[in-house]
């Protein structure tokens, strides 16, 4: 976690995620993995982390300022479940924003760490779901990500749940939240991932 005293601070989880992805790619032959079927899945703050990891941003400067070619091998997709996407006002009241950008980040720093600012052409297909009554990560987060994807022509499937709050995991039997794993399974199947 960013606040655990790592020298790289807010970059620590991002570096871990990029390193984990690199290790998976190194083991493709040994483990007989299909490199065309590597996708990410993240929940809440993990959705923020996976959203940034899916970009080709290295964590230095804005995406427009750096050479992003070849830094991260292409992914087949990213599933972001009740994600924190933006660290910008007025949706900046999350622990993710406090842990990554600090208590009072300047607007440029908040934008730099907001996933939607890294959704550029070539971003992998995205699966999103979030409940309209999420009180931790405002539902605007998923809507913002869906809009960013549509703007650059990235395939996006967005499911709004009328209820479920935050942290519903794999869903609760008998409730609307139980539907999303089936939607996700269908999305994976249509993309040839399973």
């Amino acid at each position: 976690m960013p606040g655990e005293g790592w020298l790289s601070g807010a970059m620590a989880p991002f570096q871990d995620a990029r390193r984990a992805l690199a290790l998976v790619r190194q083991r493709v032959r040994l483990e007989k993995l299909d490199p065309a079927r590597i996708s990410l899945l993240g929940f809440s703050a993990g959705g923020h982390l996976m959203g940034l990891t899916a970009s080709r941003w290295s964590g230095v400067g804005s995406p427009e300022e750096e050479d992003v070619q070849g830094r991260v091998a292409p992914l087949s997709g990213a599933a972001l479940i009740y994600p924190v996407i933006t660290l910008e006002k007025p949706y900046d009241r999350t622990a993710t924003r406090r842990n990554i950008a600090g208590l009072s980040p300047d607007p440029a720093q908040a934008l730099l760490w907001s996933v939607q600012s890294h959704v550029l052409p070539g971003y992998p297909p995205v699966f999103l779901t979030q409940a309209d009554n999420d009180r931790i990560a405002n539902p605007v987060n998923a809507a913002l990500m869906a809009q960013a994807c549509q703007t650059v022509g990235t395939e996006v499937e967005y499911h709004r749940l009328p209820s479920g709050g935050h942290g519903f995991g794999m869903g609760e039997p008998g409730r609307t939240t139980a539907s999303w794993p089936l939607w996700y399974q269908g999305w994976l199947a249509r993309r040839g991932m399973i």
Side-chain angles (χ1 to χ4, degrees):
M1 298 298 290
E4 293 178 339
W6 299 101
L7 290 177
S8 52
M11 288 296 298
F14 184 55
Q15 290 168 342
D16 284 350
R18 288 174 58 92
R19 179 72 178 132
L21 192 53
L23 289 170
V24 167
R25 292 211 176 270
Q26 285 176 0
R27 298 189 59 86
V28 161
R29 284 192 198 153
L30 182 66
E31 304 290 336
K32 297 185 174 117
L33 303 174
D34 181 350
R37 292 176 26 180
I38 297 173
S39 185
L40 304 174
L41 171 64
F43 298 75
S44 190
H48 179 267
L49 179 59
M50 293 299 101
L52 282 179
T53 302
S55 77
R56 293 179 176 233
W57 184 55
S58 71
V60 180
S62 73
E64 295 81 20
E65 292 172 352
E66 61 176 307
D67 174 19
V68 294
Q69 297 301 319
R71 297 219 181 175
V72 174
L75 293 163
S76 297
L80 312 176
I81 314 305
Y82 44 86
V84 173
I85 295 298
T86 188
L87 304 189
E88 296 180 285
K89 292 182 181 293
Y91 310 106
D92 63 339
R93 297 174 190 257
T94 62
T96 302
R97 194 267 300 147
R98 289 188 300 276
N99 289 329
I100 300 264
L103 294 176
S104 299
D106 66 54
Q109 186 72 0
L111 178 63
L112 183 66
W113 283 99
S114 293
V115 177
Q116 80 277 5
S117 66
H118 301 283
V119 178
L120 302 171
Y123 196 89
V126 174
F127 176 91
L128 291 163
T129 192
Q130 190 161 22
D132 286 340
N133 67 344
D134 190 330
R135 293 181 186 212
I136 304 295
N138 190 299
V140 166
N141 280 277
L144 200 75
M145 185 66 178
Q147 181 182 25
C149 290
Q150 290 168 346
T151 298
V152 300
T154 288
E155 178 189 329
V156 61
E157 185 172 316
Y158 173 30
H159 294 273
R160 289 178 58 184
L161 298 169
S163 62
H166 189 81
F168 51 78
M170 295 304 289
E172 299 173 42
R175 297 186 180 234
T176 28
T177 56
S179 300
W180 87 261
L182 298 174
W183 298 331
Y184 180 47
Q185 181 180 17
W187 183 80
L188 289 169
R190 287 188 299 281
R191 302 200 47 70
M193 299 288 289
I194 56 172

